[in-house]
Amino acid sequence: MAELRRKLTLDFIGDPSDQGYSTRAFVIMLLTLGTALPALACVMLLPEEPGRGAWRALGLVILGLTLLASGQRAKLVYEHSVTPSPLRTTLMNLLIVLAVGLTIGGTGGDEQLLVFVVLLPGLVGAVIGNVVMMAYCLGLCLLLSVGILVEGGTASGPSVLVTAILFVGITLVVRNITLVGLNGFTMALTLTHMMETSGSSEDPIDGLNRILDGLAFTTGASQIWLVAVDHDGKVEPVLAYPDPEAKGWDEEFDFRGALDDAWVVTSRNGGAISAGQLGGKAIALVVRRRWERIMSPDVRTTLLGRAATPVRLLLERTSLIERLRLLSTIDELTGLPNRRELMDRLRVAVAGANRTGTPLCVAMLDLDHFKDYNDSFGHLAGDEVLRSMGALLSARLRVTDVPTRYGGEEFAIVLPNTDTGGATSLLTDLLDSVRGISAQRQVTFSAGVAELSGGESIDELLHRADVALYAAKRSGRQRVERA
């Protein structure tokens, strides 16, 4: 993000060891010298005095050769990243001053007009250079202007002072206008970049980390925090930039207001705004900066709101992705994990059992005569039985157990660290409990249990449990069979 803004604002890097420095430095130099051409064009339009044409011609020849050398040097810089020689650069500057002086010496006319024409190099430096380059270009302009005034015989202390004041004033105005425009353009691109990041991140913490730099830039903050507020009003920092260890985020604001989505507050040293939800907690964006005295509270609120927008987008999007992920693994009717989640959990459980040598059982359950129940009492009544069965399994099993809806009226349970005897005892207790489900008639199930054996695949384990289930059905139902 910082590199992007640096490129957009055309910052001049004062490090000759950087290859990018050589290119930018020489291009700026070339543009600065090249702006003497409009000055000479104006010189050609002024009335000529007899006998001075040779001087003007000599000045034009020197100028042409200097610009030709500059062009060749620029080509080398672009093609080979050659660092410009300070000696050659100084020589070119002297030649350009000499060329303009000779040309002016060969021409008669309004020197004051030429003084303002040669201001163009200073304006170029103000637009594309940093402070050092702007000062260099402005100095060159002043040197050329003094030469013009001296040559024309109109130089005096007041005239030189007035010219210097006008040059500096005009250059600073152009510089400020350019910076405001570039800052606005960079701000817009930074916000766009943050919105793109917010729209492409699937992990909220990673996405927030990637836009913190942009948040600090768009708010002008020296320090920025994202803090989480729970329903009891307890606050803890989640992320901070640029100093993760910085303190002071909790000194000025009552963060209980962050539980309200419309909460926003500013103070002399910063501001805070609610920015969404993460993990059941409200997220507040907190910035530390000294607002300008002329900045109204509405402007402060607007700045905070602009920065909070990509945060809200990111949190809402990642929350939606998480909900969709949960919906893809949870059975909507019973609230239990579905068959896809069963396979994922079973892979983890089998790997753990093989690694530690602990037993692992899988049980397959099927509600008895469930099709007849639906035909007799309707599918809504059948759905209520399935929901009750899901609630019973969730309530009776251990936290480490994984009850799932395998499909239709069939359920599967993963029982880590449980052997066949323990699984059979558990299912027998469940068989007594399921008879207590409130329904149109008594609910029962048949079950088959299989224990993982060495080298057995998941499909083989499930198949053995399924075979045991059908053995229980053939034996009269309402029973548990071991594989």
Side-chain angles (χ1 to χ4, degrees), residues 222-243:
S222 58
Q223 180 70 36
I224 191 166
W225 297 271
L226 286 166
V227 300
V229 188
D230 62 21
H231 292 288
D232 297 328
K234 182 181 179 181
V235 187
E236 58 182 5
V238 178
L239 295 172
Y241 176 91
D243 181 9

Side-chain angles (χ1 to χ4, degrees), residues 453-476:
S453 60
E456 187 177 30
S457 69
I458 293 176
D459 290 338
E460 291 170 341
L461 177 62
L462 289 173
H463 177 70
R464 289 197 300 114
D466 202 43
V467 170
L469 167 63
Y470 280 95
K473 288 185 176 182
R474 288 193 299 269
S475 299

Side-chain angles (χ1 to χ4, degrees), residues 122-434:
L123 298 181
V124 172
V127 171
I128 67 173
N130 66 354
V131 175
V132 175
M133 287 305 301
M134 183 182 70
Y136 166 80
C137 296
L138 187 58
L140 178 62
C141 294
L142 289 173
L143 181 60
L144 292 173
S145 301
V146 171
I148 293 172
L149 294 175
V150 171
E151 182 66 26
T154 59
S156 64
S159 64
V160 173
L161 179 60
V162 170
T163 300
I165 292 175
L166 288 174
F167 273 29
V168 172
I170 294 174
T171 302
L172 290 178
V173 169
V174 173
R175 174 78 174 175
N176 288 334
I177 293 175
T178 302
L179 290 179
V180 169
L182 286 175
N183 185 68
F185 180 66
T186 307
M187 185 80 72
L189 288 183
T190 301
L191 288 171
T192 301
H193 177 75
M194 287 195 296
M195 298 297 282
E196 290 176 352
T197 301
S198 301
S200 61
S201 298
E202 296 186 4
D203 179 73
I205 300 300
D206 175 67
L208 290 172
N209 265 314
R210 290 165 60 189
I211 66 173
L212 276 178
D213 179 26
L215 292 176
F217 172 70
T218 54
T219 58
S222 58
Q223 180 70 36
I224 191 166
W225 297 271
L226 286 166
V227 300
V229 188
D230 62 21
H231 292 288
D232 297 328
K234 182 181 179 181
V235 187
E236 58 182 5
V238 178
L239 295 172
Y241 176 91
D243 181 9
E245 303 299 326
K247 304 298 181 182
W249 52 268
D250 57 349
E251 293 178 353
E252 301 177 358
F253 309 110
D254 181 6
F255 288 99
R256 288 175 297 183
L259 300 174
D260 179 5
D261 288 340
W263 177 73
V264 57
V265 60
T266 62
S267 70
R268 185 173 63 87
N269 294 323
I273 184 172
S274 57
Q277 297 283 327
L278 177 63
K281 297 181 179 181
I283 297 297
L285 171 66
V286 184
V287 303
R288 176 189 289 167
R289 63 161 290 176
R290 288 188 176 274
W291 307 104
E292 292 79 0
R293 292 184 178 181
I294 62 173
M295 185 180 294
S296 69
D298 290 340
V299 175
R300 300 176 187 179
T301 300
T302 300
L303 284 176
L304 291 176
R306 180 171 59 186
T309 298
V311 178
R312 291 194 183 103
L313 175 63
L314 189 148
L315 293 178
E316 290 173 1
R317 181 180 181 276
T318 53
S319 176
L320 176 61
I321 291 175
E322 181 63 19
R323 288 198 297 269
L324 291 175
R325 189 192 69 80
L326 289 176
L327 287 175
S328 69
T329 60
I330 298 297
D331 174 62
E332 184 177 0
L333 181 63
T334 63
L336 298 177
N338 59 17
R339 185 169 180 172
R340 175 188 297 177
E341 184 69 3
L342 166 68
M343 301 305 292
D344 290 340
R345 299 282 192 91
L346 198 51
R347 291 188 189 96
V348 175
V350 169
N354 288 332
R355 184 177 62 256
T356 61
T358 55
L360 171 69
C361 281
V362 170
M364 301 291 289
L365 287 69
D366 189 88
L367 297 181
D368 296 328
H369 304 295
F370 190 73
K371 183 179 183 303
D372 292 339
Y373 189 93
N374 276 335
D375 292 341
S376 301
F377 306 108
H379 288 281
L380 292 179
D383 288 348
E384 188 60 36
V385 170
L386 292 174
R387 276 192 288 267
S388 299
M389 185 66 182
L392 176 65
L393 293 178
S394 298
R396 292 296 304 274
L397 297 178
R398 300 170 300 181
V399 175
T400 55
D401 299 334
V402 184
T404 66
R405 186 183 179 190
Y406 196 72
E409 69 274 19
E410 196 168 4
F411 296 82
I413 306 176
V414 181
L415 300 168
N417 201 25
T418 304
D419 58 16
T420 305
T424 302
S425 176
L426 170 65
L427 291 170
T428 301
D429 290 341
L430 283 175
L431 189 57
D432 292 336
S433 299
V434 78

Side-chain angles (χ1 to χ4, degrees), residues 22-101:
S22 60
T23 300
R24 284 186 294 274
F26 200 85
V27 169
I28 291 174
M29 195 72 69
L30 183 61
L31 289 173
T32 303
L33 301 179
T35 50
L37 286 174
L40 294 179
C42 292
V43 169
M44 297 294 293
L45 297 176
L46 295 175
E48 179 179 349
E49 294 184 9
R52 294 189 177 182
W55 290 105
R56 183 176 60 185
L58 179 59
L60 290 175
V61 170
I62 295 176
L63 178 63
L65 292 176
T66 304
L67 294 180
L68 180 62
S70 298
Q72 292 297 322
R73 190 64 177 168
K75 182 179 179 181
L76 290 175
V77 168
Y78 274 113
E79 292 179 352
H80 306 291
S81 295
V82 179
T83 302
S85 167
L87 179 60
R88 291 188 181 184
T89 301
T90 303
L91 178 59
M92 288 180 183
N93 292 341
L94 293 175
L95 287 176
I96 197 70
V97 173
L98 175 61
V100 174

